[in-house]
Amino acid sequence: MARITLRQLLDHAAEYGYGVPAFNINNMEQGLAILEAADAADAPVIIQASRGARSYANDIVLKHLIDALAEMYPHIPICMHQDHGNNEATCATAIQYGFTSVMMDGSLKADAKTPADYDYNVRVTRNVVDMAHWVGASVEGELGVLGSLETGMGEKEDGHGFEGKLGHDQLLTDPDQAVEFVKATEVDALAIAMGTSHGAYKFTRKPDGDVLAMNVIEEIHRRLPNTHLVMHGSSSVPQELQDIINQYGGQMPQTWGVPVEEIQRGIKHGVRKINIDTDNRMAMTGAIRKVFAENPGEFDPRKYLKPAMEAMRAVCKQRFEEFGTAGYASKIRPLPMSAMAKRYASGELAPKIGLTRQAAE
Ligand code: G3H
Ligand code: 13P
Ligand code: ZN
């Protein structure tokens, strides 16, 4: 079984200069599509489940689904990650069900709607880090609140996001505070806010530096060269997927996502985990709409889920290639969580602040 922790995987990615897409999962079809793509690209992969996914699929089903995927593809390192954990209990139960990594999103309170203050964020994140590291699991934290710099709004379509409007002070991670946060929490990876938001409606035009503040990533990477950075809301919302959906009866208003070249720029500046859900949702929806439009009499789910899986597999494979993940699965030897727990206990994985990457190695 090739389960890997986020920390081990991202340390490898940093060493070789690549990024790893983190694809959201809710069902068997998505799991098979992700692993077929990883297998074709020889890529390690991060699969992540939101709280919504865990309650949709059921924790037990999800656990056995991931076991099945790991058994089918023993040569592919799979990191199983909790996306946007809202409190300590969500993170603890994820680990109980076989997740090797959790996100404690303390940028929002436990209701996943109310922006939290810095001290609250540090406290809950530190609690999760202590608990997770005892058993060798990894922790992603978030500093700054995800939302649009154009509108000041979060994206509520996924049930996780603030309500109302926020100013740029909350929507952009403060680089100095990022250093303090990593020092205080000892997170393995840090999600930062720089203008991306969840869902399809990120930007009303092709984004430039005013609405997608890649300079914040560069600034944080300069101060924290050894911290793995995470980009949320990083679907590219490809025009061709919007067109397929609309061609076959969908009604998606024109929108723009995060261009792949901006993500590639991020990867050069410490971004190691790139969260993608919307692109895969759109790929599946477009394929299903096409089957229904062309054959309204169809009622065998396999007839539309198979094309949906193929469309999703193509998106995943393309991202593995674009982020440089392809070719690395066979080069990693995953360590068990017990070995990672020993490494944390020895202090060897504590954050190295103020050192260049070379000096830290
Ligand atoms: O966090 C964002 C992901 O797109 C998951 O969305 O909460 O609807 O499963 P979800
Ligand atoms: P997208 O909605 O851009 O795919 O982002 C997903 C995400 O960030 C999950 O945490
Ligand atoms: Zn997210």
Side-chain angles (χ1 to χ4, degrees):
M1 296 278 176
R3 250 180 243 220
I4 190 168
T5 65
L6 186 72
R7 177 59 187 268
Q8 192 195 351
L9 178 51
L10 299 192
D11 280 351
H12 190 267
E15 191 178 344
Y16 292 92
Y18 63 94
V20 188
F23 297 121
N24 286 77
I25 190 173
N26 293 270
N27 59 31
M28 177 192 80
E29 284 75 12
Q30 292 174 319
L32 289 173
I34 294 167
L35 264 297
E36 281 167 16
D39 187 36
D42 184 32
V45 67
I46 302 164
I47 301 180
Q48 57 187 7
S50 65
R51 282 194 297 144
R54 285 177 60 185
S55 66
Y56 172 80
N58 184 296
D59 277 335
I60 297 170
V61 172
L62 212 47
K63 176 185 187 307
H64 289 280
L65 173 57
I66 303 303
D67 282 345
L69 294 171
E71 189 175 334
M72 287 170 73
Y73 296 95
H75 51 291
I76 301 293
I78 301 174
C79 169
M80 186 60 202
H81 177 79
Q82 168 75 54
D83 192 22
H84 293 285
N86 63 319
N87 60 21
E88 292 96 326
T90 298
C91 295
T93 55
I95 294 170
Q96 203 170 26
Y97 282 102
F99 289 48
T100 56
S101 176
V102 293
M103 175 187 192
M104 176 62 240
D105 181 356
S107 72
L108 298 176
K109 295 254 182 81
D111 65 3
K113 285 190 183 74
T114 312
D117 61 42
Y118 177 79
D119 291 339
Y120 169 91
N121 193 353
V122 168
R123 191 171 65 248
V124 291
T125 306
R126 180 77 224 191
N127 286 344
V128 171
V129 166
D130 285 340
M131 176 268 297
H133 287 183
W134 284 332
V135 295
S138 317
V139 181
E140 171 187 339
E142 173 167 326
L143 185 65
V145 183
L146 285 187
S148 162
L149 295 173
E150 277 185 279
T151 63
M153 315 264 275
E155 186 48 72
K156 290 194 297 299
E157 77 178 47
D158 56 14
H160 191 108
F162 66 92
E163 286 174 341
K165 272 195 178 209
L166 292 180
H168 284 199
D169 54 326
Q170 281 173 289
L171 295 171
L172 291 173
T173 305
D174 173 355
D176 289 329
Q177 204 175 48
V179 175
E180 292 313 309
F181 186 79
V182 170
K183 239 191 245 175
T185 60
E186 306 204 358
V187 286
D188 299 286
L190 180 67
I192 58 188
M194 67 321 178
T196 62
S197 52
H198 293 135
Y201 304 103
K202 301 181 195 302
F203 305 108
T204 59
R205 57 185 161 90
K206 186 166 191 264
D208 57 21
D210 290 342
V211 292
L212 178 59
M214 297 302 292
N215 61 311
V216 169
I217 292 181
E218 295 172 2
E219 200 51 52
I220 294 174
H221 182 57
R222 250 193 296 280
R223 288 169 167 71
L224 289 169
N226 303 301
T227 298
H228 306 310
L229 304 181
V230 182
M231 281 177 72
H232 280 250
S234 289
S235 277
S236 299
V237 196
Q239 188 64 48
E240 60 273 21
L241 295 182
Q242 296 183 48
D243 292 344
I244 292 174
I245 288 173
N246 287 335
Q247 185 185 344
Y248 294 106
Q251 291 183 1
M252 286 190 72
Q254 178 63 44
T255 180
W256 279 265
V258 183
V260 166
E261 60 270 21
E262 297 294 345
I263 297 171
Q264 289 168 331
R265 178 177 160 195
I267 292 170
K268 292 203 180 84
H269 294 95
V271 170
R272 300 291 160 227
K273 174 173 181 279
I274 303 105
N275 285 14
I276 295 174
D277 187 359
T278 297
D279 284 352
N280 286 329
R281 292 177 173 188
M282 289 177 67
M284 295 187 95
T285 298
I288 291 170
R289 280 194 173 283
K290 184 167 188 287
V291 172
F292 285 158
E294 289 177 347
N295 189 355
E298 188 54 70
F299 59 89
D300 177 350
R302 292 170 300 188
K303 294 283 173 22
Y304 52 85
L305 290 174
K306 195 157 182 289
M309 284 164 62
E310 278 159 15
M312 175 159 164
R313 182 178 60 203
V315 170
C316 295
K317 181 151 181 285
Q318 197 178 340
R319 296 292 177 268
F320 285 130
E321 284 157 5
E322 291 163 337
F323 300 166
T325 338
Y328 282 111
S330 47
K331 300 196 169 60
I332 307 177
R333 293 283 158 271
L335 293 170
M337 293 216 331
S338 54
M340 290 302 287
K342 287 198 184 106
R343 296 183 69 202
Y344 286 116
S346 76
E348 91 181 78
L349 297 178
K352 298 186 174 71
I353 311 245
L355 291 181
T356 60
R357 260 206 78 72
Q358 289 81 351
E361 273 161 12

Short mmCIF file of all heavy atoms in Angstrom, two decimals, residues 84 146 198 232 275, ligand 3:
data_model
loop_
_atom_site.label_atom_id
_atom_site.label_comp_id
_atom_site.label_asym_id
_atom_site.label_seq_id
_atom_site.Cartn_x
_atom_site.Cartn_y
_atom_site.Cartn_z
N HIS A 84 -10.20 21.65 4.12
CA HIS A 84 -10.92 22.63 4.96
C HIS A 84 -11.55 22.03 6.22
O HIS A 84 -12.77 22.16 6.43
CB HIS A 84 -12.00 23.36 4.15
CG HIS A 84 -11.43 24.25 3.09
ND1 HIS A 84 -10.85 25.46 3.37
CD2 HIS A 84 -11.33 24.08 1.75
CE1 HIS A 84 -10.42 26.01 2.24
NE2 HIS A 84 -10.69 25.19 1.24
N LEU A 146 -9.86 33.28 2.01
CA LEU A 146 -10.01 33.15 0.56
C LEU A 146 -11.20 33.96 0.07
O LEU A 146 -12.30 33.83 0.62
CB LEU A 146 -10.31 31.70 0.18
CG LEU A 146 -9.22 30.66 0.22
CD1 LEU A 146 -9.76 29.36 -0.35
CD2 LEU A 146 -7.99 31.10 -0.56
N HIS A 198 -13.11 29.82 -4.29
CA HIS A 198 -13.63 28.52 -4.75
C HIS A 198 -14.70 28.69 -5.84
O HIS A 198 -15.32 29.74 -5.93
CB HIS A 198 -14.25 27.76 -3.58
CG HIS A 198 -13.24 27.34 -2.55
ND1 HIS A 198 -13.43 27.49 -1.21
CD2 HIS A 198 -12.02 26.77 -2.70
CE1 HIS A 198 -12.37 27.03 -0.56
NE2 HIS A 198 -11.50 26.59 -1.43
N HIS A 232 -5.28 27.49 -2.95
CA HIS A 232 -6.67 27.01 -3.04
C HIS A 232 -7.34 27.69 -4.23
O HIS A 232 -6.78 28.60 -4.83
CB HIS A 232 -7.43 27.34 -1.76
CG HIS A 232 -7.15 26.37 -0.66
ND1 HIS A 232 -8.07 25.48 -0.20
CD2 HIS A 232 -6.01 26.12 0.02
CE1 HIS A 232 -7.53 24.74 0.74
NE2 HIS A 232 -6.27 25.10 0.90
N ASN A 275 -4.94 23.15 -5.26
CA ASN A 275 -6.27 22.54 -5.08
C ASN A 275 -7.17 22.73 -6.29
O ASN A 275 -7.40 23.86 -6.74
CB ASN A 275 -6.95 23.19 -3.88
CG ASN A 275 -6.38 22.70 -2.56
OD1 ASN A 275 -5.31 22.09 -2.53
ND2 ASN A 275 -7.08 22.97 -1.48
ZN ZN B 3 -10.07 25.33 -0.72
#
